[in-house]
Each structure stands twice: as C-alpha cells, then as structure tokens.
Amino acid sequence: MQKASSMHTNPTILTGIKPTGQPHIGNYFGAIKPALERAAEYENSFFFIADYHGLNSVQDPEEMRRLTRSIAATWLAAGLDPAKHHFYRQSDIPETFELETILNTFTPKGWMNKAHAYKATVANNQTAGRSDDHDVNMGLFTYPILMASDILLFDTSAVPVGKDQIQHVEIARDIAQKVNSFYNKDIFVLPEHVTHEGIAELPGIDGRKMSKSYNNVIPVFASVEEWQKAVRSIVTDAETHTPDSLKQTTFYKLYSAVATSENSETLVRDITSGAIGWKDAKDRLASALEVRFAEYTKEYERLMNSPEEIDRILHTGAETVRPIAQATLRRIKTTIGIL
Ligand code: ADP
Ligand code: TRP
C-alpha cells in the first residue's frame, strides 16, 4: 500500500457539481473558476458531474440528461481541458458506490443527523408543523457519505467548494480518519476544503446566498437582455454610501466579482461622489457580464448543440478514471478482508 506521506507528494484536487439547474455566477466564481485555477498547483485533478447526488431533486429523465450535459458544457466552455484533467460522470464510476457501502459501515448515524442539508429539511418540517421525516429520503440523509466516497476514492488532498459544502468535506475527513485509526494504517488521504478568498458565498439578487433553490440567480449563460433583466432586480437601498459601506452591499459584491478591480474602484468613486446612481451602476454590471460571459456563452451553446461530443468526452474520461478507482478499492478491500 502507498504510504500517506508519499501520497502527499503527489497531491490531488477534486470537485463535483450536481446537475440540478442552470449554472449561475455563484457556481462559476465559487467553484468552477477557482477549481480550474487551483488545478495548476496539483499533480492530479478530477472534475465530475455528481448525477447521483442530483437524483435527490431531479427525477425527470430528460431533465437529468439535459442538465448533465449542461454542467459538462459549463466546465468545458470554462476552459477545462479533458487532456489535462480527469473529467467524468459520477454514475460512470461504479466503484464509488461500492466504496460508499464500505464507508456506511464506519459512519455513525449521529454525524448524519448534524449534516446541514438534512437538518435544514427537518427544521423546515418543524416550522410547517409536519413530521420531521416528511420529504426526507435516504439519499438526502446519506448525501455526505456518497460525497465522502467521491473524494476518498481518488486520494484527494484538496476539495475546492463554496462555503455551503465545507461541512461535507469535513465529514469526509472525519470518516477517513475513523477508518485510518480503526486499522491503524494510512488507508485514506485526509482531504481539506479550499475556498476562494472573498467569493466563498456570492449573494443573489435578493441578497441571500445565490442558489438555484432560491430562484435569485444571475445566469452564466444568457443573452444581453436576460442579464439586464436579472441585474435590474438586484435589491438596492436609498442610502448615501461611503466607500466602506458601499463595499458591503449586494450590488458591489456582485459587480466586483464580475468586473476588473480597476472598474470596481471607478464604480466606488462614481457612486460615492454622486456622479452615477443605481440605474447606471446596474447598466455597468450588465455590460461587465457581457464582456465576461458572451464568448463563454457562445462556446456553451456550440457544445449543447453537439451532445454526442459531450457524451464522448465524458465516456473517455470515465475510461481513464476507472482503473484508478479500481486500484484504490482493491487496496481498501484488502485492508478490510474482503479481498
Ligand atoms: P446551488 O446552491 O445553486 O444549488 P450547488 O449546491 O449545485 O449550487 O453548488 C455547486 C458549487 O458551487 C458548490 O461548490 C458550491 O459551494 C458553489 N456555490 C453555489 N452557490 C454559491 C454561491 N452563492 N457563492 C459561491 N459558491 C457557490
Ligand atoms: N455536494 C456538492 C454540491 O452540492 C457536489 C459534490 C458531490 C461534490 N460530490 C462532491 C463536491 C465531491 C466536491 C467533492 O455542490
């Protein structure tokens, strides 16, 4: 077996995205862009589409196929080079689910009770006066164990994710540590989360976290009119702002994520001096979105019009990844006495 110390000299970065909706700029700045940038620092990189995680909420087969290709096209249009990075669909790697079964037997139920997606569903049920278990299926309850399996299967050292996923990476680490200490062996590499400074949580147009679930998103792929429409809905106030107070606003957080730092500084000067108001500021954000994402949108649309190209790339990706997954699984099965 490879020792943890030697594994660390060969560090691996890995992240996944669920195919549950159209990608928004929170996904782009919080997950896709930092993951691709960080990948340059690592020897191995794994990027995948977490379709079985998505099955918790997407149950229409055509929708599942379309959204899976949509997330794949998002990564590819963002610059993911399948010759440099492992790129695949979670469901094409069945070793993931065998490892999950093993991890199930080491994971205390109490850890799952504390996982935030499950806890939030229970809290909503309680507020609505429903039973705690209403709408809770085992896919939601064991969600963090499947995610731990995705991560531990590839000896992952770093997992770039937004703030909402940090707890899941910590659970993966805890499970890895539990198995390692049980067998008194470095079976699993202990993963760490990495977040992108400043954009761990981009707000949506209503000021809450931007999320497909809240319907408050600015889409990555859109027409100029669609960007303008989204931008006009951003909540703003009637305060007179200082540079410091302006930088705390939802609008500024969105603008500075999209525009250059030079343009962001100009915007601060123009708003605080009263030279422009929110309407002009919003027009600038719509233009910044166009500058940043118009080409990207074109490439995304080209790929979505060639689904066989996307499917071929994912298929080839899975073929190169499976032998790696099989080797890890053999190592673990030998340790536990199944092989
Ligand atoms: P959503 O909340 O829209 O369903 P996902 O849960 O599919 O998004 O998240 C995909 C990736 O994008 C995750 O790594 C997540 O942490 C990141 N992410 C999602 N929303 C944001 C946000 N508003 N700001 C920063 N990162 C985000
Ligand atoms: N749960 C993640 C999300 O909702 C997606 C995901 C699945 C993931 N498996 C992963 C992210 C492994 C990082 C590593 O965004």
Side-chain angles (χ1 to χ4, degrees):
M1 194 196 82
Q2 216 183 354
K3 274 272 159 48
S5 54
S6 66
M7 287 176 195
H8 284 297
T9 59
N10 183 26
T12 295
I13 189 166
L14 171 145
T15 199
I17 296 193
K18 283 179 298 186
T20 48
Q22 287 302 330
H24 55 74
I25 65 170
N27 300 143
Y28 178 76
F29 289 110
I32 296 169
K33 181 170 172 278
L36 289 173
E37 281 168 3
R38 293 300 272 267
E41 301 161 25
Y42 292 82
E43 196 131 325
N44 309 304
S45 43
F46 293 77
F47 300 125
F48 68 96
I49 300 146
D51 48 355
Y52 275 135
H53 277 113
L55 189 61
N56 282 304
S57 49
V58 178
Q59 280 153 352
D60 175 272
E62 270 320 304
E63 189 70 348
M64 177 62 92
R65 286 187 194 100
R66 192 182 61 78
L67 289 171
T68 298
R69 291 193 182 112
S70 165
I71 297 297
T74 303
W75 278 109
L76 293 166
L80 184 150
D81 176 356
K84 272 208 240 149
H85 310 292
H86 294 298
F87 184 51
Y88 56 98
R89 247 181 3 158
Q90 180 189 43
S91 58
D92 284 334
I93 316 298
E95 290 73 18
T96 310
F97 316 110
E98 194 171 345
L99 178 59
E100 186 192 9
T101 302
I102 298 171
L103 299 181
N104 278 335
T105 68
F106 285 92
T107 308
K109 173 176 176 285
W111 291 4
M112 297 301 99
N113 292 341
K114 291 188 200 137
H116 69 76
Y118 166 70
K119 256 174 68 179
T121 307
V122 172
N124 283 341
N125 284 338
Q126 289 172 347
T127 313
R130 295 184 294 246
S131 114
D132 281 10
D133 290 341
H134 179 85
D135 257 357
V136 176
N137 58 40
M138 293 306 288
L140 172 68
F141 191 62
T142 61
Y143 188 105
I145 312 179
L146 178 55
M147 186 157 157
S149 186
D150 293 329
I151 296 170
L152 301 180
L153 191 57
F154 297 106
D155 293 330
T156 303
S157 36
V159 186
V161 281
K163 202 167 136 192
D164 58 320
Q165 296 298 317
I166 293 175
Q167 186 199 28
H168 292 153
V169 182
E170 283 168 353
I171 291 173
R173 189 182 169 90
D174 290 344
I175 296 174
Q177 220 149 16
K178 190 145 191 279
V179 178
N180 287 358
S181 74
F182 184 82
Y183 290 102
N184 196 22
K185 252 184 174 176
D186 292 324
I187 299 167
F188 290 121
V189 170
L190 304 183
E192 280 178 35
H193 65 85
V194 290
T195 47
H196 184 54
E197 262 320 293
I199 315 203
E201 188 166 305
L202 199 67
I205 54 179
D206 59 359
R208 293 185 294 169
K209 170 197 179 295
M210 186 177 293
S211 173
K212 283 166 260 179
S213 335
Y214 297 155
N215 214 1
N216 64 353
V217 308
I218 298 182
V220 179
F221 308 115
S223 62
V224 177
E225 295 72 36
E226 287 162 332
W227 281 317
Q228 281 168 342
K229 186 164 170 262
V231 160
R232 284 196 199 110
S233 321
I234 297 171
V235 284
T236 45
D237 55 31
E239 311 276 307
T240 309
H241 280 288
T242 61
D244 281 347
S245 72
L246 182 65
K247 286 182 181 175
Q248 301 309 314
T249 62
T250 296
F251 179 83
Y252 183 79
K253 286 180 189 162
L254 288 166
Y255 185 81
S256 57
V258 179
T260 61
S261 50
E262 207 183 349
N263 285 347
S264 303
E265 283 311 311
T266 310
L267 181 99
V268 171
R269 267 201 311 278
D270 290 350
I271 292 190
T272 53
S273 70
I276 65 165
W278 287 122
K279 187 181 171 306
D280 292 334
K282 286 180 173 180
D283 286 344
R284 285 193 195 175
L285 175 52
S287 306
L289 283 161
E290 191 184 349
V291 168
R292 183 119 200 184
F293 294 119
E295 281 303 307
Y296 186 6
T297 299
K298 258 197 223 152
E299 176 60 6
Y300 169 82
E301 281 168 357
R302 188 195 68 75
L303 286 161
M304 288 304 277
N305 285 323
S306 347
E308 60 304 326
E309 182 177 341
I310 301 178
D311 294 352
R312 187 178 39 75
I313 292 171
L314 290 174
H315 179 74
T316 309
E319 280 187 336
T320 63
V321 160
R322 277 199 75 191
I324 308 173
Q326 283 160 352
T328 320
L329 197 59
R330 261 198 307 277
R331 189 178 86 210
I332 289 145
K333 286 169 79 173
T334 304
T335 305
I336 63 179
I338 300 279
L339 270 186

